[in-house]
RNA sequence: GUGGGCGUAGCUCAGUCGGUUAGAGCGCCGGGUUGUGGUUCCGGAGGCCGGGGGUUCGAAUCCCCUCGCCCACCCCA
């Protein structure tokens, strides 16, 4: 038999007990936050029909799909959760009471080159509200994000949520450009999303590329990109058309956020568009203060996603919050806890003669809810105590022939060293 | 994709102008008399020195190839 690599495939991770304790802690904060906001947890298969991700706007998330054909089916590992969610909503559309509030912590996959904080697999906390067109839904989701951040112990100024409204951009282009080029707005957003990393010149070039999908006039592209620099609501107002519904949304949102006490932690930023094609309204992303990491979290409104699947539209808004970047940030701040193994008791029969009594005892302890480990072979006491200590057990229950004969068990508290006897259960 | 660094015990690493049986710390296992941990003392196991090829009397050490990991850049949500 050929020997096998001990490493998991590139870009994936193993979770040893100490790692999984940490992951569970993180996911626990996500779950608890979701619970407090009244959301219900859902899940879907990691494996989906590849057709669920067939889109035209050139999104990277789709280009990096893990996919394959098997027995004539084209399948893919989910790169994000929203399409699965949409599928689930469509399937029960008539029976769902709206607005519905669902959350999930799916493992998502994408095939991309590895660098710091980028893996090919990660867990992404999602919260979504379906059936609510108003921005109060956005406000709830943003509040949940900050509740989670606070639960990690992250200082308030460490991260900023940057908000924009795609319709603000769409309104501007609507009168002339989009009339002659219907259907390119999504692709345009996907390109603009790269502004941060590719730079203004590259983005302008792509927008006005005569062979590209958008084919904006070069001068218009330059002007458009220049307009994306604004931050703050005044900047939003400056660029907006009269009676702009998008601007009204933003004002309503900030008023709502103020009531949550979050207005200072959220900032309008015209350059935020997000790289997913299906967003239609408010979009947002969470960045660290120094802009050192990638976005910790991104989301927005996607009221027309169901149209892509041949169904009638249904208002929806949600976000995805990956575990990779937040873990890096928390680790850097020393906020990732080293969690001990939670073991209450080690039950130690000193001989095979006392084993039945030990089994009865450990069963009783387990029935009472204790995490109790049973010593499985005859071992020297020294070995058992040493092991119990390492495992972080609170106490050792020792049953020797002497105790057994007297119907008792010797209970040794490891932290204090105190010992006492308790009657053995019958 | 480009450039650089690194692969030696379970882990972190030392050793490398080529030369006898390859080292340390931590961890692991055993012991310091009969049934008690965390400290300490003593002992032990464990390495085709990432893999393949070459040079040489001789290679962990030099050369070539290959795989893996890390960092930077490129690319990119």
């Amino acid at each position: 038999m050929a020997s096998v690599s001990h490493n998991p495939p590139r870009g994936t991770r193993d979770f040893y007990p100490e790692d999984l304790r940490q992951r569970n802690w993180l996911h626990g904060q996500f779950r608890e936050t979701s619970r407090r906001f009244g959301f219900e947890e859902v899940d879907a298969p990691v494996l989906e029909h590849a057709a669920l991700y067939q889109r035209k706007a050139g999104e990277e998330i789709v280009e990096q799909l893990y996919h394959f054909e098997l027995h004539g089916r084209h399948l893919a590992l989910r790169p994000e959760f929203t399409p699965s969610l949409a599928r689930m909503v469509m399937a029960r559309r008539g029976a769902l009471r709206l607005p519905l509030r669902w959350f999930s912590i799916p493992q998502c996959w994408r095939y991309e080159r590895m660098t710091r904080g980028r893996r090919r697999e990660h867990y992404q906390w999602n919260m979504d509200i379906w059936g609510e067109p108003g921005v109060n839904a956005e406000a709830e989701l943003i509040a949940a994000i900050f509740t989670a951040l606070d639960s990690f112990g992250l200082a308030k100024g460490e991260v900023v949520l940057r908000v924009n409204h795609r319709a603000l951009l769409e309104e501007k282009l609507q009168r002339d450009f989009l009339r002659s080029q219907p259907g390119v707005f999504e692709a345009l957003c996907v390109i603009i999303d790269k502004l941060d990393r590719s730079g203004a010149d590259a983005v302008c070039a792509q927008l006005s590329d005569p062979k590209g999908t958008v084919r904006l006039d070069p001068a218009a592209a330059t002007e458009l990109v220049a307009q994306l620099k604004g931050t703050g609501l005044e900047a939003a107002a400056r660029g907006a058309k009269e009676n702009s519904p998008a601007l009204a949304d933003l004002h309503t949102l900030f008023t709502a956020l103020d009531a949550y006490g979050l207005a200072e932690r959220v900032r309008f930023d015209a350059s935020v568009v997000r790289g997913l094609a299906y967003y239609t309204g408010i979009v947002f992303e969470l960045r660290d203060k120094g802009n050192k990491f990638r976005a910790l979290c991104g989301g927005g409104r996607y009221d027309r996603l169901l149209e892509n699947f041949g169904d009638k539209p249904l208002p929806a808004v949600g976000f995805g919050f990956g575990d990779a970047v937040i873990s890096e940030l928390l680790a850097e701040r020393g906020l990732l806890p080293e969690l001990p193994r939670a073991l209450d008791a080690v039950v130690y029969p000193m001989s095979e003669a006392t084993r039945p009594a030990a089994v009865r005892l450990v069963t009783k302890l387990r029935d009472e809810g204790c995490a109790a480990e049973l010593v499985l072979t005859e071992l020297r006491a020294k070995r058992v105590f040493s092991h119990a200590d390492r495992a972080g057990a609170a106490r050792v229950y020792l049953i020797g022939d002497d105790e057994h004969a007297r119907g008792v068990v010797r209970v040794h508290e490891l932290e204090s060293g105190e010992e006492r006897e308790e009657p053995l259960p019958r």
Side-chain angles (χ1 to χ4, degrees):
Chain A
M1 178 103 121
S3 71
V4 154
S5 168
H6 295 184
N7 295 331
R10 192 162 231 267
T12 67
R13 307 165 277 179
D14 290 322
F15 292 89
Y16 288 90
E18 59 275 20
D19 308 317
L20 197 55
R21 284 199 290 272
Q22 224 158 49
R23 184 181 102 184
N24 285 339
W25 170 81
L26 191 73
H27 291 193
Q29 306 297 337
F30 290 150
R31 275 207 176 83
E32 175 60 13
T33 298
S34 303
R35 188 191 67 79
R36 290 190 191 178
F37 277 76
F39 281 60
E40 292 183 283
E41 187 165 8
V42 296
D43 201 0
V46 173
L47 196 65
E48 283 281 8
H49 296 290
L52 205 54
Y53 309 107
Q54 275 160 15
R55 303 180 204 146
K56 309 181 280 282
E59 297 155 285
E60 195 182 42
I61 202 169
V62 172
E63 287 163 5
Q64 296 176 333
L65 203 60
Y66 267 98
H67 65 103
F68 56 90
E69 272 188 48
L70 194 64
H71 301 304
R73 290 177 207 278
H74 190 194
L75 301 167
L77 296 180
R78 61 185 173 202
E80 54 157 344
F81 190 63
T82 308
S84 301
L85 192 61
R87 193 175 53 64
M88 290 170 73
V89 168
M90 286 189 290
R92 295 218 174 158
R93 185 163 189 168
L96 295 170
R97 303 196 63 160
L98 302 176
L100 66 79
R101 301 161 165 90
W102 284 354
F103 83 97
S104 187
I105 309 175
Q107 187 185 35
C108 297
W109 295 79
R110 59 180 172 194
Y111 194 85
E112 68 173 347
R113 217 183 290 157
M114 303 283 307
T115 57
R116 182 181 188 211
R118 261 202 287 184
R119 280 180 261 100
R120 290 178 176 174
E121 148 272 325
H122 71 151
Y123 287 86
Q124 190 189 58
W125 175 40
N126 280 245
M127 284 179 88
D128 292 86
I129 297 176
W130 287 75
E132 172 49 56
V135 295
N136 285 333
E138 276 88 333
E140 272 283 279
L141 295 179
I142 290 169
I145 291 168
F146 282 108
T147 299
L149 290 168
D150 291 345
S151 77
F152 298 139
L154 209 55
K156 287 206 197 317
E158 291 273 12
V159 292
V160 183
L161 192 87
R162 307 203 295 211
V163 181
N164 191 10
H165 200 312
R166 273 197 183 180
L168 216 50
L169 198 57
E170 200 171 11
E171 286 168 3
K172 261 181 242 167
L173 298 167
Q174 213 147 33
R175 209 162 301 157
D176 34 65
F177 176 68
L178 286 179
R179 185 161 299 167
S180 61
Q181 290 271 81
V184 302
F185 182 65
E186 294 183 352
L188 183 137
C189 285
V190 169
I191 292 171
I192 289 177
D193 177 60
K194 294 162 186 160
L195 188 59
D196 215 25
R197 288 187 165 67
S198 308
D201 294 346
V203 167
C204 287
Q206 276 194 61
L207 287 174
S208 53
D209 182 356
K211 286 181 194 141
T213 47
V214 179
R215 295 195 293 276
L216 201 59
D217 177 67
T222 309
E223 194 193 325
L224 178 66
V225 169
Q227 280 176 10
L228 298 174
K229 289 204 175 115
T231 59
L233 276 183
E234 320 75 54
R238 221 176 297 132
K241 71 168 192 181
E242 267 181 68
N243 299 322
S244 156
L247 186 62
D249 272 355
L250 281 166
H251 274 117
T252 309
L253 176 61
F254 273 88
T255 303
L257 289 173
D258 194 40
Y260 285 96
L262 294 172
E264 296 156 28
R265 302 170 81 177
V266 183
R267 190 175 77 201
F268 173 81
D269 185 329
S271 70
V272 172
V273 293
R274 302 300 300 159
L276 293 172
Y278 52 63
Y279 289 129
T280 52
I282 297 279
V283 283
F284 53 86
E285 64 188 26
L286 187 72
R287 305 300 294 246
D288 63 295
K289 182 178 51 184
N291 217 8
K292 178 177 167 187
F293 301 102
R294 291 148 55 97
L296 287 103
C297 163
R301 179 164 285 278
Y302 50 97
D303 286 347
R304 295 207 300 270
L305 177 59
L306 294 197
E307 290 177 0
N308 296 358
F309 302 127
D311 209 329
K312 279 181 298 190
L314 184 60
V317 57
F319 68 79
F321 190 135
D323 66 348
V325 181
I326 186 67
S327 294
E328 291 229 9
L329 183 60
L330 292 176
E332 203 177 272
R333 297 290 181 279
L335 291 170
L336 271 185
E338 291 288 332
L339 300 159
R341 179 180 172 194
L343 186 64
D344 298 311
V346 170
V347 175
Y348 172 36
M350 293 200 68
S351 68
E352 287 309 304
T354 64
R355 181 162 297 276
V359 168
R360 283 193 295 276
L361 173 63
V362 78
T363 300
K364 174 171 169 273
L365 290 170
R366 288 167 178 166
D367 286 348
E368 289 166 356
C370 284
E373 187 183 289
L374 177 66
V375 175
L376 296 173
T377 60
E378 259 185 66
L379 292 177
R380 296 169 29 136
K382 187 177 180 170
R383 181 83 177 74
V384 171
F385 278 80
S386 167
H387 165 74
D389 188 50
R390 297 286 177 112
R395 58 194 66 87
V396 173
Y397 288 81
L398 176 155
I399 310 173
D401 293 332
D402 172 51
E403 286 81 6
H404 188 235
R406 292 168 28 235
V408 298
V409 55
R410 182 165 287 271
V411 186
H412 181 117
E413 296 290 338
L414 282 166
E415 197 173 334
S416 62
E418 168 214 330
E419 283 199 351
R420 63 179 183 276
E421 288 185 345
E422 287 180 7
L424 272 170
R426 298 191 50 77

